[in-house]
Amino acid sequence: MRMLAMVLALGLAGCISESDELDPVNDQGERVSGATSSLNGFWSSPAGSSSNVRALIYNGIVYAFDDSNGYYGSTDLLSDGTAPTELFAYALNTASGIGPEVVADGAPSDYLWDVLLSGDNDVLFGPYSVNGVSQGNVRLEKDDTWGNQAPLRLLTSAGEWTNSSYALRFTSPAPKSELVTFKAVAEPDSGCSFSGSLVLENGGRNNLYKVAISKRENCPAFNEPASGYAGFNADGNLEFYLRSNNTSSLLFFSFTPPAGATPPPDTEPPAGETDTGTEP
């Protein structure tokens, strides 16, 4: 009887372990359910709404910004379809002074989006509060870009990426490498520049890269290492969502690809294939 109990216990432990392995662990070291991971993707306030939120949700971690704040926090999709989203909001640093770049820092406010997943699982809608005081409603709609492939060749074969303030160039990866480096320099020349690396996330099967900024200097704000993610929006621009490694400051920006660059593929690789980003 004791032996049978031990066998049953080991079998149960094995099932739990196997199930746990199916659930990803996010950047905060938290295990995330498959339901919560279904929220992965890029979200925006609908056109014409009074808010102007742009957000990345990935394995329960949320990066977002609007016209007033940058946000960082977490969400969890519950069995009743609600997705309570707890965020720290940091005011935009209006002295950051580099064109389309968004820097958010300072003392945070506590935001709660008490939203419900609705529509065809592509709308988050519900009330929100600030420091416990109800403020109104928030509505976010999911882009249809998450299933797009993101091989490294989309970056390295294109040439110089630009926005109104920076020029950015990626290096070509070594054969079978899943990493490229990059450097951006402010235009006109203010001395502000940053550099870092970008690697495939999920083998390039989804519209997401993992980013590390190793050096950023001579900029009006946010001169520190950072990490986060990048992905393509519906217009084909490459968006970055970053958080300081040393403080709570946030950094967001986007780049337009060179004319004639190949747009991101709109389908996932065939089953069993992984895009390593080394194709010509």
Side-chain angles (χ1 to χ4, degrees):
M1 182 66 72
R2 179 177 298 176
M3 180 63 70
L4 177 60
M6 290 176 63
V7 170
L8 290 174
L10 289 172
L12 179 59
C15 291
I16 293 174
S17 175
E18 182 177 353
S19 175
D20 283 351
E21 288 177 359
L22 299 177
D23 297 331
V25 176
N26 64 26
D27 290 347
Q28 299 299 320
E30 301 164 335
R31 192 167 294 280
V32 181
S33 69
T36 297
S37 294
S38 71
L39 298 175
N40 289 355
F42 297 90
W43 300 74
S44 298
S45 299
S49 79
S50 57
S51 60
N52 189 26
V53 178
R54 180 67 174 161
L56 166 64
I57 301 177
Y58 184 56
N59 289 343
I61 300 298
V62 181
Y63 296 80
F65 64 93
D66 58 20
D67 296 332
S68 302
N69 299 302
Y71 305 88
Y72 180 82
S74 62
T75 190
D76 189 15
L77 182 58
L78 306 180
S79 59
D80 62 359
T82 60
T85 304
E86 299 179 353
L87 302 166
F88 291 117
Y90 303 90
L92 300 191
N93 186 332
T94 57
S96 58
I98 300 290
E101 185 174 273
V102 175
V103 175
D105 52 22
S109 298
D110 294 328
Y111 272 63
L112 173 64
W113 295 346
D114 191 13
V115 290
L116 174 71
L117 183 65
S118 58
D120 293 325
N121 293 333
D122 59 0
V123 175
L124 291 169
F125 176 75
Y128 76 93
S129 60
V130 182
N131 296 327
V133 179
S134 179
Q135 297 291 319
N137 292 325
V138 61
R139 180 184 178 92
L140 298 176
E141 298 178 354
K142 192 176 186 180
D143 291 358
D144 60 0
T145 61
W146 180 250
N148 294 353
Q149 300 174 39
L152 295 179
R153 59 180 168 78
L154 295 179
L155 308 174
T156 58
S157 63
E160 190 171 85
W161 297 67
T162 58
N163 59 32
S164 60
S165 298
Y166 288 99
L168 177 147
R169 186 175 289 272
F170 294 95
T171 62
S172 296
K176 298 185 179 180
S177 171
E178 294 191 351
L179 179 146
V180 296
T181 59
F182 60 83
K183 184 174 181 64
V185 178
E187 296 181 337
D189 184 16
S190 65
C192 175
S193 65
F194 60 88
S195 57
S197 61
L198 183 151
V199 299
L200 293 175
E201 185 76 1
N202 297 329
R205 290 184 294 272
N206 300 117
N207 176 27
L208 198 69
Y209 302 98
K210 193 172 182 65
V211 180
I213 288 185
S214 56
K215 186 177 183 180
R216 185 174 157 95
E217 56 188 357
N218 298 320
C219 301
F222 206 102
N223 287 286
E224 50 199 306
S227 57
Y229 298 94
F232 292 97
N233 62 24
D235 295 326
N237 297 332
L238 185 65
E239 300 182 338
F240 288 76
Y241 296 75
L242 302 163
R243 186 170 186 252
S244 167
N245 294 343
N246 302 321
T247 68
S248 55
S249 299
L250 302 171
L251 177 64
F252 308 90
F253 49 80
S254 66
F255 281 89
T256 301
T262 303
D266 59 5
T267 57
E268 295 187 6
E273 292 187 13
T274 298
D275 191 335
T276 63
T278 59
E279 302 94 324

